[in-house]
Amino acid sequence: QKYITLSKNCLFLLHYFFTNRSYWYCSSFFIEVTNYEVKVGKNGYSLSGKKIVLVSDTHFGPITQERFGRRVVNKILAENPDLVLVVGDMFDGPDFDKLQLQKEMGILAAKVPVFFVPGNHENYGDYQGFLKSAELMGMKVLVDSESNIFNTEILGIGYRQNKSDDRTKNLIQKSISKDQPTIVMIHEPSYQKELIENGAFWWFLLI
């Protein structure tokens, strides 16, 4: 399986000379693809041979949106995926006109199923507006909720600062299936203990 993330090799140079916004603008020129092969258990036959693209931290904002969105979409579609998972920080900064970005990202969702879970940067800005934009792009937004595709549960856990939230722990316990694969979408590597205790044995750590 595969995921796409932004390369941040220029962090220190740009942080020294420019503002954080300039840093994210530069980051948009670097899209790094890393390949992973995932072996599924006996209950994961429905995922056998499927290609999943996991994408994170595009940080679309007033500067990086339309052209970068087109590059992201083209890069993902070039992988010919069966499923796309967007695990947070798709948006960043204050509210902005997202119409052109919605058109670009809508091309992706029209061709392949896309699920989205918000990260911390969605919380810093126009949270409800960002979620609505993801829906208008054709994405399935999961915030402490689940869906099903390919006989696989997709559980999306929203970002929260209180990591001792019993509601989230109960959600994990209730949602992880013993009879079919469950993919847990979360922006940061939280709730590892609860995931392992409820049967999770493998996950991506996106840092």
Side-chain angles (χ1 to χ4, degrees):
Q1 316 304 334
K2 300 192 175 186
Y3 76 83
I4 295 176
T5 187
L6 296 181
S7 173
K8 299 178 181 176
N9 296 331
C10 56
L11 171 61
F12 295 107
L13 176 64
L14 290 171
H15 182 71
Y16 183 79
F17 287 107
F18 302 106
T19 66
N20 287 335
R21 179 167 293 182
S22 298
Y23 156 60
W24 288 119
Y25 181 75
C26 178
S27 292
S28 67
F29 290 99
F30 300 91
I31 303 177
E32 179 182 325
V33 179
T34 304
N35 303 319
Y36 290 91
E37 181 177 346
V38 180
K39 294 182 179 180
V40 295
K42 61 180 180 180
N43 291 331
Y45 63 91
S46 59
L47 287 176
S48 180
K50 295 289 190 296
K51 181 183 289 186
I52 300 173
V53 166
L54 180 65
V55 57
S56 174
D57 293 84
T58 51
H59 289 270
F60 293 127
I63 297 178
T64 56
Q65 49 169 316
E66 183 180 353
R67 287 188 298 175
F68 182 39
R70 187 178 305 125
R71 291 188 61 224
V72 170
V73 169
N74 290 340
K75 178 69 76 170
I76 294 173
L77 290 178
E79 297 293 335
N80 194 28
D82 299 288
L83 177 64
V84 176
L85 307 177
V86 182
V87 290
D89 284 8
M90 179 166 68
F91 301 101
D92 199 356
D95 190 21
F96 61 96
D97 185 354
K98 298 178 282 294
L99 182 59
Q100 291 302 317
L101 177 62
Q102 287 168 186
K103 290 180 180 178
E104 295 295 337
M105 298 300 289
I107 295 172
L108 174 65
K111 295 183 178 181
V112 60
V114 182
F115 291 86
F116 168 73
V117 64
N120 56 307
H121 279 261
E122 276 80 25
N123 280 264
Y124 298 157
D126 180 22
Y127 182 78
Q128 293 299 331
F130 290 153
L131 297 191
K132 183 63 175 178
S133 291
E135 291 178 347
L136 291 173
M137 292 172 185
M139 300 182 181
K140 176 69 174 179
V141 177
L142 298 177
V143 181
D144 298 339
S145 57
E146 54 192 310
S147 186
N148 193 290
I149 188 171
F150 306 135
N151 292 318
T152 300
E153 289 293 315
I154 309 292
L155 170 62
I157 299 177
Y159 174 83
R160 52 180 53 84
Q161 292 181 332
N162 180 12
K163 301 303 186 295
S164 60
D165 186 0
D166 289 336
R167 180 185 54 165
T168 304
K169 296 176 182 179
N170 293 334
L171 179 68
I172 291 172
Q173 185 176 20
K174 176 180 72 73
S175 301
I176 293 184
S177 173
K178 301 296 190 295
D179 301 319
Q180 60 182 352
T182 301
I183 296 176
V184 180
M185 297 177 62
I186 185 169
H187 179 66
E188 59 177 7
S190 302
Y191 306 106
Q192 297 177 26
K193 179 175 179 290
E194 290 78 9
L195 289 168
I196 293 173
E197 287 177 347
N198 286 278
F201 61 93
W202 180 91
W203 61 89
F204 278 116
L205 296 181
L206 292 183
I207 301 193

